[in-house]
Amino acid sequence: MMAGYKQVYGKTWDVYHCILTSSDPIGVREIWRKLRLSTPSLTQNHVNKLLELKLIESTPEGNYVSNDVERIETLKNFLALRGLMIPRMVVYAALLS
């Protein structure tokens, strides 16, 4: 891994994407149901990884929101539009064609 870069992949990426695109703070059980993971404890494990990387923050109610200060380098290649992550190149291709 390159210094200064945070790598998130697999189910942890799915959990991060779910939190990132949620309009309100979201809890572990909501993430678990939305992503249809096997157990809530597995979901909590992925959430804990994201907390360690400081990509998400816990609210006083125990829900989670994305940390706007810390972002993954990969997200620079996406535009967030109404909860959707759209690759920038798609926008450029649509404008140029």
Side-chain angles (χ1 to χ4, degrees):
M1 175 166 47
M2 298 171 75
Y5 291 104
K6 298 176 182 182
Q7 288 186 331
V8 177
Y9 50 89
K11 292 294 180 186
T12 306
W13 168 256
D14 293 340
V15 171
Y16 183 58
H17 185 261
C18 182
I19 294 169
L20 193 64
T21 57
S22 177
S23 58
D24 297 319
I26 189 168
V28 171
R29 288 194 179 266
E30 293 172 71
I31 298 167
W32 170 60
R33 289 182 187 115
K34 200 173 203 178
L35 298 179
R36 297 182 183 150
L37 297 174
S38 59
T39 62
S41 62
L42 175 66
T43 307
Q44 184 65 55
N45 184 29
H46 292 295
V47 166
N48 290 341
K49 287 181 191 178
L50 294 169
L51 285 169
E52 286 176 19
L53 292 171
K54 297 181 179 158
L55 293 173
I56 62 172
E57 299 173 336
S58 179
T59 64
E61 296 82 26
N63 294 328
Y64 300 96
V65 293
S66 66
N67 183 352
D68 292 333
V69 176
E70 296 284 333
R71 289 290 174 122
I72 298 177
E73 184 70 23
T74 312
L75 292 179
K76 290 183 178 181
N77 296 323
F78 290 88
L79 294 172
L81 182 64
R82 294 186 181 185
L84 297 173
M85 301 295 287
I86 303 170
R88 287 186 189 269
M89 291 301 161
V90 170
V91 176
Y92 297 146
L95 292 173
L96 296 174
S97 61

